[in-house]
Amino acid sequence: MDTSYILNEFAEERELYFNAVAPPIIQTSNFVFKTVDEMRNAFNDEYSTYLYSRGLNPTVDMLRKKLAALDEAEDCLVFNSGAAAIFAAILANVKCGDHIVSVRDTYSWAQKTFDVILSRFNITTTYIDGTDIENFEKAIKNNTSVIYLESPNSWDYNLQDLAAVAQLAKRHNIITICDNSYCTPLYQKPIKLGIDLVLQSATKYISGHSDTVAGVLSGSSELITKIFNSEYMNIGSGIQPFNAWLLLRGLRTLPARLERSSATAQKVIAYLQSNANIENVIYPLDESFDQIELAKKQMKGAGGLLTFIIKADTAEQIENFFNSLQHILMAVSCGGYESLIIPKVAGMKAEEFDSTIAAHRSIRLYVGLEEAGYLVDDLNQAFQKMHE
Ligand SMILES: *Cc1c(COP(=O)(O)O)cnc(C)c1O
């Protein structure tokens, strides 16, 4: 299916709602039945019909169909956050005493699921450097049930060879889960590479406007149906119709926004690479990137998220830079219309800062939809105030 067809036409049923171009928000908690028999059928299989909006809802269904098509997956569920999608995907595929292999430095709440929640059920996790396929081989045990991936991850954008990990996992009957928030399905399709379950925080590029929190989980009908009937219904963290509608709206412009962010990121990267205050820039599709060949092989693009290492002797210099920014907003998240920036030092105590450690001087920048010159000017004036 063409991306344009998925975004503009697929799963729309305009004749059902007055031929309106934009879909309605079916803001209802429940659905009515005409006969006892119909109600009985719905009770028997809630994944087959509209009964109650904690389960299926028509506005959410339209979104699910489009997102599954983008992922080239058989089915998908949309959650009220990316974290809920992560939690459901993992929980559905482990039992007491199991073992998980996870790449290091994944999204922090994935790690908390492993370290804080699953550890209470005697489920252990081995964290590995996922840039080398041999590390997966070595970490797998008899009781390994899940391999958890995030490619690229946040901040340093480490990649895993998704096709190779998927092959290895299949040989050992292990479920693979991949966080694809960095690329979105437009720039990477893990399901096509053999990954079982792919998730993304729809809060980021899918919403695109920094106004809703949501998560997507795609996979085979078998895996997704099982998750619907247990984790999805039990946790009750499905997306609400209005938020689903916001995501449908965001999807319309997703390709244009990603293209614009990527193109502007290139210009900002060129500026940063020529700036004497910068040690280096990390971006998966930059020629200087460690895993550039793998990035080119499995990703079609890289969006607006990049990291740069600033030259600084003290945390105060970094703080001066940040406190001087006039337009780029200091905030978490990414994927919206607005450029965002976070210093690593915000996540540590000021006295822990060690200028000899590059990671302490690392800064994550999300390039939004502004003009490149507008962002470069802002960065430039803030660099000048660093040493004041
Ligand atoms: C934001 C994010 C998440 C979590 O998604 P929420 O929608 O905030 O719950 C998971 N993974 C990555 C890589 C993210 O950036």
Side-chain angles (χ1 to χ4, degrees):
M1 254 186 270
D2 291 334
T3 300
S4 298
Y5 175 73
I6 297 170
L7 300 185
N8 292 3
E9 292 157 78
F10 181 59
E12 319 256 346
E13 296 183 80
R14 293 182 170 119
E15 62 287 1
L16 293 183
Y17 37 85
F18 315 104
N19 298 314
V21 170
I25 307 168
I26 310 292
Q27 189 77 19
T28 186
S29 59
N30 47 358
F31 298 84
V32 67
F33 296 94
K34 286 235 166 65
T35 66
V36 172
D37 199 44
E38 281 176 18
M39 191 175 219
R40 186 179 291 125
N41 288 339
F43 283 154
N44 278 339
D45 182 8
E46 202 170 335
Y47 204 36
S48 68
T49 188
Y50 299 122
L51 167 69
Y52 187 58
S53 282
R54 176 155 46 79
L56 298 181
N57 170 283
T59 308
V60 177
D61 269 1
M62 185 185 293
L63 176 65
R64 286 177 47 221
K65 286 178 189 158
K66 286 178 188 282
L67 289 168
L70 287 179
D71 270 326
E72 297 191 34
E74 287 173 1
D75 201 358
C76 103
L77 293 170
V78 189
F79 292 81
N80 231 351
S81 71
I86 293 173
F87 190 64
I90 297 167
L91 195 65
N93 291 291
V94 292
K95 60 181 187 318
C96 263
D98 276 358
H99 173 249
I100 293 167
V101 175
S102 171
V103 293
R104 246 181 240 144
D105 301 323
T106 56
Y107 188 67
S108 61
W109 291 96
Q111 294 179 50
K112 281 178 193 165
T113 300
F114 301 134
D115 300 343
V116 179
I117 299 180
L118 298 186
S119 62
R120 301 205 313 255
F121 303 92
N122 194 25
I123 296 166
T124 54
T125 303
T126 304
Y127 291 100
I128 60 163
D129 169 0
T131 59
D132 184 350
I133 185 77
E134 277 185 23
N135 294 335
F136 288 93
E137 293 255 28
K138 284 185 211 143
I140 290 171
K141 302 182 191 180
N142 288 335
N143 59 340
T144 303
S145 53
V146 165
I147 293 180
Y148 189 84
L149 310 166
E150 183 178 325
S151 184
N153 72 343
S154 237
W155 288 89
D156 41 14
Y157 315 116
N158 287 326
L159 311 183
Q160 299 98 56
D161 185 331
L162 297 180
V165 177
Q167 263 188 9
L168 173 70
K170 283 196 168 67
R171 279 209 302 280
H172 293 269
N173 256 325
I174 298 169
I175 294 281
T176 43
I177 303 171
C178 181
D179 185 334
N180 195 33
S181 301
Y182 185 90
C183 280
T184 84
L186 291 195
Y187 284 165
Q188 181 169 265
K189 297 194 193 281
I191 298 271
K192 277 178 79 180
L193 299 173
I195 298 297
D196 296 307
L197 289 167
V198 58
L199 63 93
Q200 60 174 318
S201 168
T203 313
K204 315 292 166 54
Y205 288 106
I206 306 289
S207 152
H209 294 77
S210 298
D211 53 12
T212 188
V213 174
V216 186
L217 176 64
S218 298
S220 67
S221 298
E222 189 189 346
L223 288 174
I224 295 294
T225 303
K226 183 175 153 243
I227 293 171
F228 174 84
N229 285 315
S230 52
E231 287 75 18
Y232 185 86
M233 289 301 290
N234 265 303
I235 304 170
S237 57
I239 192 168
Q240 294 294 306
F242 178 62
N243 287 0
W245 186 87
L246 287 173
L247 296 189
L248 282 166
R249 189 158 91 139
L251 272 180
R252 310 287 193 197
T253 55
L254 176 64
R257 288 185 287 102
L258 267 169
E259 258 173 50
R260 165 81 175 197
S261 273
S262 305
T264 310
Q266 293 301 328
K267 294 178 190 162
V268 173
I269 289 168
Y271 159 75
L272 290 170
Q273 284 172 336
S274 68
N275 189 301
N277 295 294
I278 302 304
E279 199 166 286
N280 68 305
V281 179
I282 312 171
Y283 186 72
L285 284 180
D286 190 76
E287 286 304 324
S288 66
F289 187 65
D290 287 347
Q291 295 176 286
I292 180 72
E293 290 310 319
L294 179 58
K296 283 183 183 163
K297 194 175 104 188
Q298 64 187 21
M299 294 163 53
K300 266 176 64 183
L305 199 58
L306 60 101
T307 295
F308 59 91
I309 311 294
I310 198 168
K311 289 180 190 159
D313 305 313
T314 63
E316 199 189 350
Q317 287 168 355
I318 298 176
E319 288 178 33
N320 285 346
F321 167 75
F322 271 80
N323 299 344
S324 305
L325 288 167
Q326 300 290 312
H327 301 299
I328 301 172
L329 304 175
M330 197 187 338
V332 297
S333 198
C334 67
Y337 60 91
E338 77 291 13
S339 291
L340 300 170
I341 195 160
I342 320 176
K344 200 68 169 210
V345 288
M348 51 196 276
K349 295 197 181 96
E351 61 268 26
E352 287 167 359
F353 179 79
D354 179 347
S355 66
T356 65
I357 300 172
H360 288 191
R361 291 181 278 111
S362 103
I363 291 169
R364 197 184 80 171
L365 174 64
Y366 165 68
V367 176
L369 305 180
E370 302 92 336
E371 297 291 331
Y374 182 76
L375 300 174
V376 164
D377 287 350
D378 197 23
L379 292 166
N380 213 29
Q381 62 82 26
F383 283 132
Q384 280 164 17
K385 301 205 176 92
M386 243 182 101
H387 300 283
E388 278 176 10

